[in-house]
Amino acid sequence: MKNFLVKTIANAGALAVAVWLLDKITLTGGSAGEKALTLIVVALVFGLVNMVVKPIVQVLTFPLFILTLGLFTLVVNALMLLLTSWVADKLDVSFHVDGFWTAVLGGLIVSIVSWALNAFLPDGD
């Protein structure tokens, strides 16, 4: 449970950095508390999408991973971010990613920041 909580916080932080750096990834809300809660909800959706959908997409596109020497991972991460944006829209959560190339750059930012945060945050059982 602690590991899940740490990963969710790391994803929320990574998504916050992507929102801060990219104008076309938007998070609307009133107060800072509302935005923080929205980030936690989006991080949970993002984690769920990555846990359920991403492995299926990776298995189905495995030849493209081999052919591009792993660079197709950027496309898969972008698709997961776009899917998170779509699910957030359906849940009436104020998070939106505008366009595929923004999602590619956002996915790259989220991956790097999440990796760095997970390296420094404690994990355990």
Side-chain angles (χ1 to χ4, degrees), residues 27-36 38 94:
L27 178 74
T28 56
S31 67
E34 289 177 3
K35 287 184 179 182
T38 301
S94 59

Side-chain angles (χ1 to χ4, degrees), residues 90 117-118:
K90 295 299 178 192
L117 289 176
N118 280 315

